[in-house]
Amino acid sequence: MSSQKRLSRAYHRAKVIPFNDRSRFILFSDCHRGDNSFADDFANNRNIYFHALQHYYKAGFIYCELGDGDELWENLHFEAIFEAHKNVYGLLRKFYLDNRLHMVWGNHDMVYKDPKYVREHLSSYFEPIEGKNKELLEGIQYNEAIVLKHENSGQEVFLCHGHQADWWNYTFWRWSRFLVRVLWKPLQVWGIADPTSPAKNYKELIRLEKRIKKWIVAHNLRITIAGHTHRPRFPEPGEIPFFNDGSCVHPRSITGIEIENGQISLIKWHIATTEEGVLRVVRVLLEGPQNLKDYAL
């Protein structure tokens, strides 16, 4: 199956979420939450991410995670990841209980495409202090893609991880997972990058982006937001409407996309120093806000 057919299949099978100009969404992807070991890229930014997510929860945003939230290539079991970042999953549970959490699976957490795996690992956890199982994300469903559909205009925003355009990491993800676990994870500590990853291979990144743009052009310039490459993208109106929210494993920062008041923005959260020498986690607007309707045909 070609990348164009995989993207089309993801679109037609996508979970549809209605929205309007009062809706507020935050889109993050590629958190790669790990076990807090030397290979856990998320560990460096976990406090930034947790602070940002707390902000969005208090402000009433809906959280959409566009794949690779959990690093299940380097790590065998979700339980180790949960124990390392228990506070994060507690916050995700709050979003979930408020019906404000929507999850997409990517190539690094592709096991979540299996409802049985999700049910067995994410429904509950064992709390040793109380000596019993407690609910976590019981009943949660992971999707390959999401379509946000405006209630009045009918305008659609297609959300996916983006690995549908990456033949190797979509079709042969089990081989990639095996290679990461036995080869690239040990070499990562020496600074040797995985050449099969578009996030670490510029030529592959460009090829992947071209495939997604080709799909967008063939489908009436539908607004598409993806992750996977870790490279933030924010087109101007009139350009091919291909957005990328970046990742949560940039050096010392995380990036994401906000949709609020009918507008879209690319943002960054990082640690900054005040004039008094106090460290603070701050939000920075990188691009936008731009009206979503400006990208309509």
Side-chain angles (χ1 to χ4, degrees), residues 134 160 286:
K134 300 189 70 174
C160 65
L286 297 178

Side-chain angles (χ1 to χ4, degrees), residues 23-27 53 55-64 95 98-101 257-261 283:
S23 303
R24 314 176 87 185
F25 292 90
I26 174 61
L27 315 179
L53 213 56
H55 163 82
Y56 291 119
Y57 178 76
K58 294 175 181 177
F61 278 70
I62 297 169
Y63 179 37
C64 296
F95 275 96
D98 289 350
N99 197 28
R100 290 194 279 141
L101 180 67
I257 284 180
E258 295 175 356
I259 297 176
E260 182 180 9
N261 300 322
R283 172 189 173 277

Side-chain angles (χ1 to χ4, degrees), residues 34-37 40 42 46 78-89:
D35 60 357
N36 204 28
S37 68
D40 184 0
F42 175 74
R46 59 183 175 181
F78 167 77
E79 287 72 21
I81 301 172
F82 173 78
E83 289 299 329
H85 306 293
K86 199 170 183 179
N87 62 330
V88 169
Y89 293 99

Side-chain angles (χ1 to χ4, degrees), residues 131-167:
K132 63 180 181 180
N133 285 331
K134 300 189 70 174
E135 291 184 353
L136 183 58
L137 302 175
E138 187 172 11
I140 193 169
Q141 295 181 343
Y142 275 70
N143 301 278
E144 184 172 1
I146 292 170
V147 170
L148 306 181
K149 188 166 185 176
H150 198 280
E151 294 174 338
N152 299 323
S153 69
Q155 185 180 29
E156 294 182 345
V157 182
F158 176 45
L159 313 179
C160 65
H161 182 60
H163 66 308
Q164 291 82 1
D166 186 346
W167 172 76

Side-chain angles (χ1 to χ4, degrees), residues 64-126:
C64 296
E65 190 166 274
L66 306 187
D68 285 5
D70 295 331
E71 180 49 73
L72 288 166
W73 280 10
E74 294 181 356
N75 303 283
L76 283 171
H77 306 293
F78 167 77
E79 287 72 21
I81 301 172
F82 173 78
E83 289 299 329
H85 306 293
K86 199 170 183 179
N87 62 330
V88 169
Y89 293 99
L91 187 51
L92 291 177
R93 173 172 165 77
K94 288 185 177 181
F95 275 96
Y96 181 61
L97 292 177
D98 289 350
N99 197 28
R100 290 194 279 141
L101 180 67
H102 303 282
M103 306 294 265
V104 168
W105 46 262
N107 51 308
H108 280 253
D109 52 11
M110 209 156 172
V111 290
Y112 290 154
K113 69 186 293 186
D114 180 1
K116 181 180 178 182
Y117 184 96
V118 173
R119 187 167 56 251
E120 289 179 352
H121 294 272
L122 302 184
S123 293
S124 63
Y125 67 96
F126 181 74

Side-chain angles (χ1 to χ4, degrees), residues 27 66 146 148 157-162 212 216 222-227 233 241-245 257-259 264 292:
L27 315 179
L66 306 187
I146 292 170
L148 306 181
V157 182
F158 176 45
L159 313 179
C160 65
H161 182 60
I212 297 178
I216 294 171
R222 180 175 288 108
I223 296 175
T224 299
I225 305 175
R233 288 185 56 88
F242 172 40
F243 295 80
N244 193 303
D245 60 8
I257 284 180
E258 295 175 356
I259 297 176
I264 186 169
L292 282 172

